[in-house]
Amino acid sequence: MANLFDLTGKTAIVTGSSRGIGKAIAHRLAEHGANVVVSSRKADACEAAAAEINDKVGRKAAIAVAANIAVKEALQNLVDETNRAFGKIDICVCNAASNPYFGPMGGISDDQFMKILQNNVVSNHWLINMCAPQMRERKDGSVILISSIGGLKGSPVIGAYDISKAADMQLARNLACEFGPDNVRVNTIAPGLVQTDFAKALWENPAILKASTERSALKRIGQPDEIAGMAVFLASKAGAFTTGQTFIIDGGVMAM
């Protein structure tokens, strides 16, 4: 069974991977044999995360390439540097996202709304289409978008973010249909509330944390590493017949 999850010889780009869910995914992909490129805006944070991953897996599995996902040229450089270092890209994990606004939709500025859509949807579209041609040519590849259960329900405080995450689910379905004939799979992971710096506005608020955990079957907040296993599945042979899907990992919130 272990061979189903073996990623030896594969190369993965993981955006937003200097911390949180992205770093957990990069670590577990490397642990299963992949070479990984750690990427976020700050070079020093990327270098630190890559060094930590290499120390944990006992080999130089990770390198750091800083990139601002809102800048198309920066994403192209990320792809170029990955190809230069490892010769190919097999796995593209679009994890980086933004949410500069917390409150009702009526109060969001145009700039804030546009930033959310740019970073959470358009930038994913850019990066995927930079990585996909070589995957399609080789007839093998996996694209993973990190969405949210927010894309499946409404919210009075993170509505624009939730709109972007619903769009990611549809982006995955569209691209699964486009890329499927070339054996390139595209899927989405939709976490519930996870204890990351990104989600601090939610879990640091005692009332929101209590409401969220009480609505879940497991009655607790998630941890970044509890999302990473699904990424390993989707990137590996274990997920070879899986495409166009959204996988909810939320401690049972949607079930309740």
Side-chain angles (χ1 to χ4, degrees):
M1 290 294 289
N3 289 336
L4 280 175
F5 300 92
D6 183 12
L7 295 171
T8 301
K10 302 292 186 180
T11 298
I13 288 175
V14 186
T15 64
S17 51
S18 62
R19 60 183 182 176
I21 290 172
K23 186 167 77 170
I25 289 173
H27 173 210
R28 293 303 183 178
L29 292 176
E31 185 178 68
H32 284 77
N35 295 314
V36 297
V37 178
V38 174
S39 186
S40 68
R41 286 181 301 166
K42 297 180 180 178
D44 57 345
C46 293
E47 293 285 356
E52 180 183 337
I53 290 168
N54 289 336
D55 183 62
K56 286 182 176 179
V57 302
R59 65 184 178 91
K60 190 175 181 181
I63 65 168
V65 180
N68 181 345
I69 59 169
V71 179
K72 199 170 190 177
E73 293 78 10
L75 289 178
Q76 186 62 60
N77 181 68
L78 171 60
V79 170
D80 292 344
E81 289 300 314
T82 302
N83 283 325
R84 186 172 294 113
F86 297 118
K88 60 174 182 168
I89 299 165
D90 303 284
I91 304 155
C92 175
V93 182
C94 297
N95 170 71
S98 297
N99 187 35
Y101 176 77
F102 188 85
M105 290 289 292
I108 193 170
S109 70
D110 288 348
D111 286 346
Q112 288 169 325
F113 205 163
M114 292 302 294
K115 181 176 181 178
I116 289 169
L117 295 178
Q118 171 63 61
N119 288 357
N120 301 3
V121 185
V122 177
S123 293
N124 291 344
H125 164 72
W126 285 346
L127 180 59
I128 292 166
N129 280 285
M130 291 171 186
C131 295
Q134 61 173 280
M135 296 180 184
R136 299 182 75 178
E137 184 177 352
R138 290 194 305 270
K139 307 296 183 185
D140 185 46
S142 177
V143 175
I144 304 165
L145 296 93
I146 306 304
S147 181
S148 167
I149 60 168
L152 298 167
K153 58 190 184 71
S155 169
V157 290
I158 54 170
Y161 176 80
D162 288 350
I163 288 168
S164 74
K165 292 305 181 177
D168 280 335
M169 296 177 191
Q170 186 60 37
L171 180 60
R173 287 187 285 264
N174 290 348
L175 295 179
C177 294
E178 289 186 32
F179 298 169
D182 292 319
N183 196 41
V184 175
R185 297 168 290 109
V186 187
N187 293 284
T188 306
I189 300 173
L193 183 58
V194 176
Q195 195 169 13
T196 64
D197 288 344
F198 183 82
K200 265 188 178 180
L202 298 174
W203 59 262
E204 277 195 336
N205 182 312
I208 295 176
L209 178 60
K210 182 180 179 182
S212 178
T213 54
E214 284 184 347
R215 286 197 305 266
S216 74
L218 294 182
K219 307 301 181 189
R220 65 175 177 84
I221 192 171
Q223 297 301 317
D225 201 47
E226 294 176 310
I227 310 303
M230 179 56 70
V232 174
F233 167 80
L234 293 172
S236 66
K237 290 180 182 178
F241 198 51
T242 304
T243 197
Q245 304 304 307
T246 293
F247 292 87
I248 299 168
I249 307 178
D250 67 350
V253 170
M254 297 303 291
M256 297 284 283

